[in-house]
Amino acid sequence: AYTLTRRFRTQPQRAGIAAIAGSALTHPALWASAGALYPSLGPLTIPLLEVAIVAIEAVSYRVIATKSWRAAGLLSLVANGASYGVGLLIELL
């Protein structure tokens, strides 16, 4: 999120704070619910939870970093997509 601030015309510090605040709220919920949902959702569990997390963290970006819902959603999508991609890469290695 910090590196995308020029593209979305936001302050790097505010985007960083928004990323930390959003993650502090969503990641504990992700890990707490993933185990419970896996028996019914299987391999779709994490991707579906990530969709919810992108939406929730977009609120953090909107409140803290940007005045645009579109920019907030894109910031959240790119940041979480990168995080998810790195997680997949680590899992494969």
Side-chain angles (χ1 to χ4, degrees), residues 1-92:
Y2 186 86
T3 60
L4 297 170
T5 55
R6 266 195 220 158
R7 170 83 169 96
F8 294 103
R9 297 181 185 146
T10 64
Q11 295 177 350
Q13 297 84 1
R14 293 180 74 82
I17 291 167
I20 291 167
S23 293
L25 293 173
T26 58
H27 280 69
L30 167 77
W31 294 114
S33 58
L37 293 172
Y38 194 84
S40 59
L41 298 175
L44 293 175
T45 303
I46 299 301
L48 290 173
L49 287 172
E50 283 290 346
V51 169
I53 285 169
V54 166
I56 294 166
E57 289 184 10
V59 175
S60 176
Y61 285 107
R62 172 59 185 84
V63 170
I64 297 170
T66 182
K67 294 179 182 178
S68 163
W69 279 106
R70 183 174 185 268
L74 287 171
L75 277 166
S76 182
L77 181 63
V78 170
N80 282 287
S83 172
Y84 183 74
V86 169
L88 280 178
L89 188 61
I90 290 169
E91 183 70 26
L92 294 173

